[in-house]
Amino acid sequence: MGSSEVSVIPGLQKEEKAAVERRRLHVLKALKKLRIEADEAPVVAVLGSGGGLRAHIACLGVLSEMKEQGLLDAVTYLAGVSGSTWAISSLYTNDGDMEALEADLKHRFTRQEWDLAKSLQKTIQAARSENYSLTDFWAYMVISKQTRELPESHLSNMKKPVEEGTLPYPIFAAIDNDLQPSWQEARAPETWFEFTPHHAGFPALGAFVSITHFGSKFKKGRLVRTHPERDLTFLRGLWGSALGNTEVIREYIFARLLRLQESSQGEHPPPEDEGGEPEHTWLTEMLENWTRTSLEKQEQPHEDPERKGGIRDKIMSSRKHLHLVDAGLAINTPFPLVLPPTREVHLILSFDFSAGDPFETIRATTDYCRRHKIPFPQVEEAELDLWSKAPASCYILKGETGPVVMHFPLFNIDACGGDIEAWSDTYDTFKLADTYTLDVVVLLLALAKKNVRENKKKILRELMNVAGLYYPKDSARSCCLA
């Protein structure tokens, strides 16, 4: 069990500090295997962008190849948005076994099956909950079908390998949709919300609750009603809700419910529940419940602004609910969560799985950092425009201060030649899982792996450079770039 209060603490939570400190020992060992010497471990963050099922599969390919090349063990933070969160969370539910994870991925898309009965049962159970929302249907009936997974584990289950330092510290991104006007007008940092194995909350406000109490009710900073911890299937739906328009999702869901009702009269009707009642009779209740809740709405902590040490923002502290959606609706990669100086990141490996302009995230992050005086490499707009016409596989961005950023577009001329548009069309963001045959999955995995493998020398060189910050000046250092 975590704390029963809202923590309002600037900087890192103590659990994260301890986990990162333990991780440093493993990073130093990994660097030594790569023949990179350092007295202290530099902080390296790997970021995965959104992009639906394409991002999910490509991110798994990146993680698999980084593991194979000995690079993943040198990483302190893994952070993702939308489809990448599905891949990153799978890493932890499989205890970091990338071979088994990749084999499971191929198996899921070989058999082309989806457990409708189990997904529907989870949806019905959610419909009876006080915290029911459209996210539940989206998670259990849409995202589970896309990924062919229905993980019932929880973020808190990831604590053991993270606290032991055997795996990087994961950060999963969302944004507060009610603060979208503030984001559009001023790129407000308060818009960003994060999930880790230990906490959920607003890093810009320093306001967090224990991850086991996400979805529970708080009053004046104290827990007043507990709800069971939300499972990973639900959270994946929340993190991957880029179609975050209520009416669009309602139309999609109504159409699917209609098909379910029709199928209940057909050859393979949905199973009955424990009371012998056909499950499709609950569909009416689901629709009725949606009238009393909004998209992504969860009862979350709010603070009395007069409470000592509490959240001082009156709008934030007076709200009854939080309305969380896919962070890709702000910036399609989680730069804002790893750039705060409290996380002391020295090197960022940014893997962009976008089907469109792979530098849009760099543009958006540059603007965000300029507005809030956050150190970030500055790139001229004209140069970004030039790069976007024929993107290479890797770009190294450096500023006078702040982290070094290595940016890796998935579709690039080095790997795809002149067929970037064809690759993009093949892996369209809204492409349904039914069209992802095993061959299509394997090709995408191979492309993502190639982008890592072909740039290993560059990654090692930048690792050596940031590690050199901690190496004795009077000693020689080496790095094998073979």
Side-chain angles (χ1 to χ4, degrees), residues 2 9-10 78 93 134 139 145 207 259-260 271 345 355 369 395 402 433 442:
I9 304 172
L78 278 180
T93 56
L134 288 179
K145 187 176 191 298
R259 289 197 296 272
L260 286 172
V345 175
C369 291
Y395 293 83
V442 169

Side-chain angles (χ1 to χ4, degrees), residues 20-21 28 57 67 109 134 137 159 201 219 222 230 259 279 307 322 337 361 363 373 382-383 420 479:
V20 169
E21 188 59 36
L28 283 172
I57 295 170
K67 182 72 173 179
F109 284 88
L134 288 179
F137 191 100
K159 287 180 180 178
K219 185 175 182 180
R222 297 196 64 83
R230 300 310 304 255
R259 289 197 296 272
E279 289 188 345
R307 182 174 180 264
L322 295 185
L337 299 183
T361 53
R363 287 185 173 90
K373 296 181 173 54
E383 195 167 17
I420 291 179
C479 174

Side-chain angles (χ1 to χ4, degrees), residues 45-305:
V46 169
L47 311 187
S49 80
L53 194 54
R54 177 187 62 251
H56 172 49
I57 295 170
C59 188
L60 284 175
V62 165
L63 296 176
S64 181
E65 190 64 24
M66 289 194 71
K67 182 72 173 179
E68 177 69 21
Q69 299 295 335
L71 298 170
L72 190 60
D73 291 332
V75 173
T76 304
Y77 286 105
L78 278 180
V81 164
S82 197
S84 285
T85 65
W86 309 341
I88 293 171
S89 58
S90 293
L91 173 71
Y92 295 85
T93 56
N94 284 268
D95 297 320
D97 187 341
M98 290 308 306
E99 288 187 10
L101 185 53
E102 190 173 330
D104 180 59
L105 174 73
K106 293 175 181 177
H107 176 68
R108 296 200 311 271
F109 284 88
T110 297
R111 55 191 175 92
Q112 294 285 316
E113 293 176 359
W114 172 50
D115 193 337
L116 169 60
K118 189 174 182 181
S119 293
L120 187 57
Q121 183 61 42
K122 294 288 289 185
T123 309
I124 291 169
Q125 290 172 358
R128 295 164 173 163
S129 169
E130 178 184 0
N131 278 348
Y132 180 61
S133 74
L134 288 179
T135 308
D136 289 285
F137 191 100
W138 185 255
Y140 296 119
M141 297 298 291
V142 181
I143 301 303
S144 69
K145 187 176 191 298
Q146 281 291 86
T147 62
R148 307 190 190 286
E149 289 182 294
L150 200 67
E152 298 186 41
S153 58
H154 303 88
L155 270 181
S156 61
N157 297 144
M158 301 179 186
K159 287 180 180 178
K160 187 174 186 292
V162 166
E163 291 175 349
E164 291 175 349
T166 56
L167 290 176
Y169 198 83
I171 306 170
F172 304 94
I175 58 168
D176 187 331
N177 198 50
D178 290 336
L179 297 182
Q180 273 282 38
S182 297
W183 176 261
Q184 296 299 330
E185 294 168 12
R187 299 291 184 263
E190 293 83 4
T191 309
W192 285 76
F193 194 96
E194 70 180 28
F195 297 80
T196 79
H198 294 105
H199 64 256
F202 294 93
L205 296 173
F208 301 96
V209 296
S210 167
I211 193 61
T212 56
H213 291 147
F214 175 74
S216 295
K217 185 174 182 179
F218 291 75
K219 185 175 182 180
K220 295 187 177 181
R222 297 196 64 83
L223 182 67
V224 295
R225 188 184 307 155
T226 61
H227 289 279
E229 182 181 355
R230 300 310 304 255
D231 62 33
L232 273 177
T233 297
F234 173 84
L235 292 178
R236 284 177 163 195
L238 190 158
W239 300 331
S241 57
L243 292 178
N245 178 282
T246 305
E247 293 308 314
V248 170
I249 293 183
R250 281 178 187 272
E251 290 176 9
Y252 182 95
I253 291 174
F254 288 162
R256 178 154 290 190
L257 289 179
L258 181 60
R259 289 197 296 272
L260 286 172
Q261 286 178 312
E262 292 172 348
S263 71
S264 71
Q265 307 301 322
E267 191 173 329
H268 301 289
E272 295 183 351
D273 66 13
E274 294 178 357
E277 185 177 3
E279 289 188 345
H280 69 270
T281 62
W282 284 97
L283 301 182
T284 301
E285 179 184 339
M286 291 182 201
L287 298 178
E288 290 175 351
N289 284 345
W290 288 341
T291 63
R292 63 177 173 81
T293 187
S294 63
L295 176 67
E296 320 299 344
K297 187 180 291 183
Q298 293 294 305
E299 289 204 12
Q300 291 302 313
H302 62 278
E303 272 282 352
D304 182 340

Side-chain angles (χ1 to χ4, degrees), residues 309-367:
I311 302 172
R312 298 296 177 179
D313 188 302
K314 290 187 177 181
I315 295 177
M316 292 294 294
S317 61
S318 62
R319 291 163 58 194
K320 184 178 180 181
H321 298 92
L322 295 185
H323 184 177
L324 303 175
V325 295
D326 192 322
L329 297 171
I331 298 177
N332 199 32
T333 202
F335 275 114
L337 299 183
V338 299
L339 287 172
T342 52
R343 286 198 161 120
E344 301 179 325
V345 175
H346 303 101
L347 175 63
I348 296 174
L349 308 185
S350 164
F351 290 91
D352 194 289
F353 307 122
S354 301
D357 181 1
F359 300 100
E360 180 55 37
T361 53
I362 298 296
R363 287 185 173 90
T365 304
T366 299
D367 178 50

Side-chain angles (χ1 to χ4, degrees), residues 430-465:
F430 302 107
K431 189 179 181 74
L432 296 178
D434 293 342
T435 65
Y436 272 78
T437 63
L438 179 61
D439 289 344
V440 170
V441 170
V442 169
L443 277 174
L444 186 56
L445 278 172
L447 180 69
K449 290 181 177 184
K450 183 178 181 180
N451 284 350
V452 174
R453 188 168 59 253
E454 295 296 313
N455 288 291
K456 181 181 179 181
K457 289 184 179 180
K458 293 179 181 178
I459 296 171
L460 288 174
R461 187 173 295 113
E462 295 308 320
L463 273 173
M464 182 179 68
N465 289 339

